[in-house]
Amino acid sequence: MFIVVYLYICMYESNATKSSSFSMMCRKQLRFAGLGAGLAWGGLQESARRVMYGTPVGDGNRSALSPFLSDQNAERVALALCRMRGAALKVGQLLSIQDESLVPPPVLAALDIVRQGADVMPRKQLNSVLDAELGQGWSSRLRSFDYEPLAAASIGQVHRAVLKDGSDVVMKIQYPGVADSIESDIENVRRLLTYTNLIPKGLFLDRAIKVAKQELARECDYFLEASNQKRYKELLSDSEGYYVPRVTDELSSKKVLTSEFVPGVPIDKVAVLSQETRNYVGCKLLELTIKELFVFRFMQTDPNWSNFLYDDSERQFNLIDFGAAREFPKKFVDDYLRMVVACANRDRAGVLEMSRRLGFLTGEEPEVMLDAHVEAAFIVGVPFATPGGHDFRANNITHSVSNLGATMLKYRLTPPPDEVYSLHRKLSGAFLACIKIGAVVPCREMLFKVYEQYDFSDDHLEVLSNTG
């Protein structure tokens, strides 16, 4: 249930002609074919090395088991994903934020290359997108525009600019041809993951891909993202320590999003700051995550470190990138809150009941699966189990959960509910961020402050005990 390796595949597209889209798809097919040939050769080399010198002794990592996951092949995959953008790059970015206990260190290291960004658009191509989206006179509405991108990500790249009134802004510009290739890119990534045996069958890759397609359809619409960003700004207007930048509507479209520039460092860079600051950042991150789910029922579900910019001078989180935001149904949130509290209280009956109601279990699972499921739930509930500060770095729960993964993957009878894919991506990202920076956070107090004030739709179905 709580395994933190759920796969999300993102890709998008702009107003390209059919001929240019077809050309791009052909180039991508050739790239995947080249990657496949390179992986095959790398696998043969690694297999030969193991025949001569023996299989390396590992700590359970897949790299010690699969010759396809050699250091060289990991680098091949990472570099290829950087060139492919869209769905392929998003896979690499999401895998790169996972913990070493779930992704082999060679793959994790290579994919960190991917997290730094994609190949950038040539100036001519960039101007073509801006002309098509904002009109040929777009530059006349700016005092300056920096053609050197501030960042290059999975579906677009970000550029600094200055408005006529002197305001600093950033313009997120979508790559041409990405949306039209969603189906083909996803199928290529699916083949790649199947070929390298990177994703176990128990993770129900087909369901994850179905959910990914739905997410991607939303994320490629920058009008929708602008609406999400405005909604977040309103929701957090009275919450100290958070800031959401303003959207510049007159320079935004379905494939260009312009908003106020905000300073700060990605959350993983906070690890070099004082313990007091790290604790503060961890508290604000967990507070935001809890509030998004259990108060707003509206969550930004992409946990990429760079989406949470910490401004130490203002002791403030500047939040960006709302393409992956989504709502959660009230009934789902009701039962999920009960589930989290049952995990925190080590309430086996409550965990099993809520798991069945939420759809994690069918009720037909063998006892060995139920035991592993409940134990994993209790481990994930550890940060919320006792009063006072929880030291995330000293109690790295991901290692403990991964030890139960094989059992759960073997005996799982059903994929998790659709809401969980994006939700667990965000929750695992928040936990891993707190581990990364070594934060100490009073998680139980935060959870129960919300729980005690929560308005359940069906209070008569309460099954939890010892909730204090």
Side-chain angles (χ1 to χ4, degrees), residues 102-149:
L102 296 170
V103 179
V107 178
L108 194 73
L111 288 175
D112 192 54
I113 301 170
V114 180
R115 191 162 67 91
Q116 304 308 313
D119 291 348
V120 301
M121 282 187 275
R123 178 180 291 210
K124 182 178 180 181
Q125 185 182 49
L126 181 65
N127 282 331
S128 177
V129 174
L130 289 169
D131 288 346
E133 291 297 313
L134 303 178
Q136 293 189 352
W138 63 269
S139 60
S140 65
R141 288 179 270 172
L142 299 171
R143 181 180 296 180
S144 66
F145 179 83
D146 188 354
Y147 276 95
E148 185 68 26

Side-chain angles (χ1 to χ4, degrees), residues 12-28:
Y12 315 80
E13 170 121 355
S14 69
N15 290 332
T17 64
K18 291 183 178 180
S19 60
S20 63
S21 297
F22 178 76
S23 176
M24 176 172 288
M25 289 180 189
C26 289
R27 289 196 298 271
K28 288 185 177 182

Side-chain angles (χ1 to χ4, degrees), residues 110-293:
L111 288 175
D112 192 54
I113 301 170
V114 180
R115 191 162 67 91
Q116 304 308 313
D119 291 348
V120 301
M121 282 187 275
R123 178 180 291 210
K124 182 178 180 181
Q125 185 182 49
L126 181 65
N127 282 331
S128 177
V129 174
L130 289 169
D131 288 346
E133 291 297 313
L134 303 178
Q136 293 189 352
W138 63 269
S139 60
S140 65
R141 288 179 270 172
L142 299 171
R143 181 180 296 180
S144 66
F145 179 83
D146 188 354
Y147 276 95
E148 185 68 26
L150 185 66
S154 59
I155 68 169
Q157 58 194 51
V158 180
H159 292 257
R160 291 284 299 271
V162 179
L163 302 181
K164 286 292 189 180
D165 65 4
S167 301
D168 287 327
V169 296
V170 290
M171 299 178 68
K172 184 161 69 170
I173 304 158
Q174 196 170 124
Y175 299 129
V178 182
D180 289 344
S181 62
I182 287 178
E183 289 291 334
S184 61
D185 276 3
I186 283 185
E187 287 308 310
N188 283 329
V189 174
R190 185 208 299 268
R191 293 188 192 102
L192 173 63
L193 294 174
T194 303
Y195 181 61
T196 58
N197 197 30
L198 185 60
I199 302 300
K201 293 180 180 179
L203 284 181
F204 291 93
L205 180 60
D206 286 346
R207 175 64 70 88
I209 285 178
K210 185 204 81 156
V211 173
K213 290 179 182 178
Q214 296 169 349
E215 289 188 0
L216 302 176
R218 295 194 298 267
E219 287 190 49
C220 68
D221 185 349
Y222 285 179
F223 278 138
L224 179 59
E225 180 173 351
S227 175
N228 291 339
Q229 187 166 325
K230 293 173 185 177
R231 182 175 177 183
Y232 261 90
K233 189 170 183 64
E234 182 178 353
L235 288 170
L236 291 171
S237 59
D238 296 327
S239 298
E240 185 178 354
Y242 309 104
Y243 183 77
V244 177
R246 297 184 303 273
V247 173
T248 305
D249 289 318
E250 58 270 24
L251 284 170
S252 297
S253 70
K254 189 171 184 177
K255 300 185 187 303
V256 176
L257 176 59
T258 302
S259 57
E260 174 188 8
F261 171 80
V262 288
V265 297
I267 193 170
D268 57 327
K269 304 302 182 185
V270 175
V272 301
L273 302 180
S274 69
Q275 185 65 54
E276 187 275 335
T277 299
R278 287 182 279 144
N279 292 347
Y280 173 77
V281 168
C283 286
K284 298 306 289 185
L285 181 61
L286 264 295
E287 176 188 323
L288 175 63
T289 303
I290 289 171
K291 186 175 289 187
E292 283 179 302
L293 180 59

Side-chain angles (χ1 to χ4, degrees), residues 14 47 75 81 99 111 152 177 181 194 238 271 344 366 375 381 421 431 464:
S14 69
S47 296
E75 186 173 356
L81 295 181
D99 186 81
L111 288 175
S181 62
T194 303
D238 296 327
E375 186 58 30
Y421 287 87
F431 276 21
L464 303 177

